[in-house]
Amino acid sequence: MTTTSDNRGTWGSKLGFILAASGSAVGLGAIWKFPYTAGQNGGGVFLLVYLACVFTVGIVMMMSEMMIGRTAKKSATSAYKELGGKHWRLAGWIGVACVFLILGFYSVVGGWTIAYIVEAIQGDILTTDGAALEKAFGDFIGTPFSSISYTLIFLFMTAAIVIAGVQSGIERICKVLMPALFILMIFLAARTLTLPGAMDGLIYLVTPDWTKLTVRMVLDALGLAVFSLSVGAGLMLAYGSYLPKETKIVNASLWIGFLAILAAILAGTMILPAVFAFGVDPAAGPGLTFITMPALFAQMAGGQIFAVLFFFLLLFAAITSSISILEPAVAFLIDEFGISRKIATFSVATANFVLLGIPAALSFSPLAEHMMLFGKNPFDLMDFIASNMLMPLGGMLAAVFVGWIVWPRIRNILDDECPPWCVHLFRFIAGVLSPALIAAVTYFLIFG
């Protein structure tokens, strides 16, 4: 996005936008979160429900946000107010609150990637001993100073890029590193499948176990679908506000959705077979990627080089996502209060680190037992509220807003880009299916 006098701009090209938006989607949501969430929810049946959520509710929510942003050319709160009236600003506020929460725990995981780059360079993590890797990871995240320090480094790396402007840095780099990330993932997935016992992990990933199908699992799949597509928090709305009129939103959304799904499946194929090969618990949780991949690299010729490269590219994937997470909050301050991008970015990053980043970083330390709320540590609580509550709610409000409140204006966009049956299907999913599904799942989770 080229910086202008009002701190706004446009994407340099359609490809640049797709790759940057895909960088938001194909970040830690796909590479880090999908494997361990699928591992915790039965593998194959979770994959099917996740794909169903992506191809229906997820894609429609993403398109809805993009169309709201491009139509209003403003950030979430201002866009909802301008198009729907002052009462709809609440939907924008939900998005701002959501991205603030996500940034709090996401920066912690981003800090882990930086730490593992250092460990990979030193060669300290290259071992096939799964128990030793689990202990090493636990020791690292359990050390308050290290966890907080790496969280701070990651958060302010993100802030520095947002301050400098996104198009000249991220859009250009995405055209090189996003393809590189996919190539490396394909190579590592193929290598993983050659490990003894790896096919058990692949079978686990693709074979549905319908006994695992629960309302909570559907909610997790729905939450991951909107998380991995970066919808429900105003991220795609903010990115859409920089889109030129000639960009085809339907086509761009399908490409972004396809790349996000491909990354998730590749990540699952890369990590879950390794989990079974090295005897790690597939329900090990957020540290699964950081436990299994070093064991894989330890068995490869030139494994240390691949380890450094993998965690560097994982860092890049994390940063492209964290930039899109930080941007809506920054855009909100710019649009609402007219302050400069530099001050807005520094203010959000500082407040986020102090209020959320530090508690999230301490969630796996000995201090965590004194920070529990509703049976969850701060990291898990932020993740649950953002991914399973605010993002589905924000996405549902965006879909309802498009399907009912501003439908005539949005229909003109769809009429130019897709056939009539697609227009009718979009409105059904946006105006009826999405809110009904989210409301039903949430109801049964609370009262079922």
Side-chain angles (χ1 to χ4, degrees):
M1 285 162 279
T2 305
T3 302
T4 62
S5 58
D6 65 352
N7 298 305
R8 288 200 145 264
T10 59
W11 295 105
S13 65
K14 175 184 174 181
L15 177 62
F17 163 69
I18 290 175
L19 289 175
S22 297
S24 172
V26 184
L28 296 182
I31 301 172
W32 161 68
K33 193 171 185 180
F34 174 82
Y36 87 76
T37 307
Q40 291 175 330
N41 286 281
V45 66
F46 178 84
L47 175 60
L48 290 178
V49 176
Y50 167 74
L51 292 176
C53 290
V54 168
F55 280 117
T56 53
V57 176
I59 291 291
V60 167
M61 286 180 177
M62 179 166 58
M63 291 170 57
S64 298
E65 286 199 15
M66 287 183 189
M67 288 187 283
I68 293 170
R70 194 179 74 175
T71 301
K73 292 294 183 182
K74 295 181 183 295
S75 61
T77 53
S78 299
Y80 278 113
K81 179 183 177 182
E82 178 174 311
L83 299 179
K86 62 180 182 180
H87 299 299
W88 273 95
R89 290 191 69 186
L90 176 62
W93 279 105
I94 290 173
V96 173
C98 188
V99 294
F100 201 71
L101 275 176
I102 294 172
L103 190 62
F105 72 85
Y106 202 92
S107 297
V108 174
V109 184
W112 297 349
T113 66
I114 298 174
Y116 267 64
I117 290 174
V118 176
E119 294 291 323
I121 291 173
Q122 295 174 343
D124 295 338
I125 57 172
L126 298 181
T127 175
T128 58
D129 187 342
L133 287 169
E134 288 190 64
K135 182 179 184 303
F137 180 74
D139 289 344
F140 163 65
I141 64 176
T143 304
F145 179 77
S146 297
S147 190
I148 291 174
S149 297
Y150 281 112
T151 298
L152 179 64
I153 293 170
F154 178 84
L155 181 58
F156 280 90
M157 284 175 62
T158 301
I161 297 171
V162 172
I163 289 173
V166 179
Q167 180 196 1
S168 59
I170 292 300
E171 183 176 348
R172 183 180 301 133
I173 294 173
C174 276
K175 293 179 180 179
V176 177
L177 290 188
M178 286 306 296
L181 180 62
F182 275 101
I183 292 171
L184 183 60
M185 289 176 69
I186 291 170
F187 174 80
L188 293 176
R191 178 64 181 88
T192 299
L193 293 177
T194 65
L195 296 172
M199 293 308 297
D200 291 337
L202 182 62
I203 292 171
Y204 180 79
L205 176 63
V206 301
T207 304
D209 178 0
W210 297 107
T211 64
K212 302 290 187 180
L213 183 60
T214 63
V215 173
R216 181 54 184 272
M217 188 271 281
V218 173
L219 181 64
D220 283 345
L222 181 61
L224 181 61
V226 297
F227 186 92
S228 61
L229 290 178
S230 298
V231 298
L235 280 68
M236 289 301 174
L237 194 155
Y239 272 20
S241 72
Y242 303 112
L243 277 175
K245 187 176 181 180
E246 59 271 15
T247 299
K248 301 296 184 183
I249 289 179
V250 174
N251 179 268
S253 298
L254 292 174
W255 270 109
I256 295 167
F258 169 75
L259 291 175
I261 291 169
L262 178 61
I265 293 175
L266 283 174
T269 306
M270 182 174 64
I271 292 170
L272 287 177
V275 166
F276 279 77
F278 298 122
V280 177
D281 182 4
L288 195 60
T289 299
F290 297 90
I291 294 170
T292 58
M293 294 311 295
L296 174 61
F297 295 129
Q299 294 198 17
M300 295 172 56
Q304 185 174 3
I305 296 174
F306 280 106
V308 173
L309 184 58
F310 171 78
F311 285 110
F312 170 76
L313 290 176
L314 188 62
L315 171 63
F316 172 77
I319 286 180
T320 56
S321 293
S322 64
I323 288 168
S324 73
I325 295 168
L326 179 58
E327 180 63 26
V330 171
F332 164 76
L333 292 181
I334 292 172
D335 289 346
E336 293 290 322
F337 302 103
I339 61 179
S340 71
R341 173 171 287 269
K342 182 177 181 179
I343 293 175
T345 305
F346 182 78
S347 299
V348 173
T350 301
N352 189 271
F353 175 71
V354 173
L355 297 176
L356 299 179
I358 292 175
L362 294 175
S363 293
F364 306 99
S365 73
L367 298 174
E369 63 182 85
H370 305 295
M371 306 167 67
M372 302 294 286
L373 190 62
F374 303 113
K376 297 181 181 293
N377 62 42
F379 182 102
D380 291 334
L381 185 62
M382 292 176 204
D383 187 6
F384 178 81
I385 294 174
S387 301
N388 290 22
M389 297 175 66
L390 294 184
M391 291 189 84
L393 177 60
M396 180 182 73
L397 290 175
V400 170
F401 188 75
V402 164
W404 297 103
I405 307 302
V406 293
W407 175 247
R409 299 180 68 171
I410 299 303
R411 178 165 187 166
N412 292 333
I413 298 175
L414 293 172
D415 284 338
D416 292 337
E417 296 189 23
C418 55
W421 68 266
C422 181
V423 176
H424 296 309
L425 178 61
F426 177 92
R427 190 178 191 189
F428 171 74
I429 295 175
V432 179
L433 180 62
S434 295
L437 177 62
I438 293 173
V441 170
T442 303
Y443 175 85
F444 281 111
L445 178 67
I446 296 174
F447 302 106

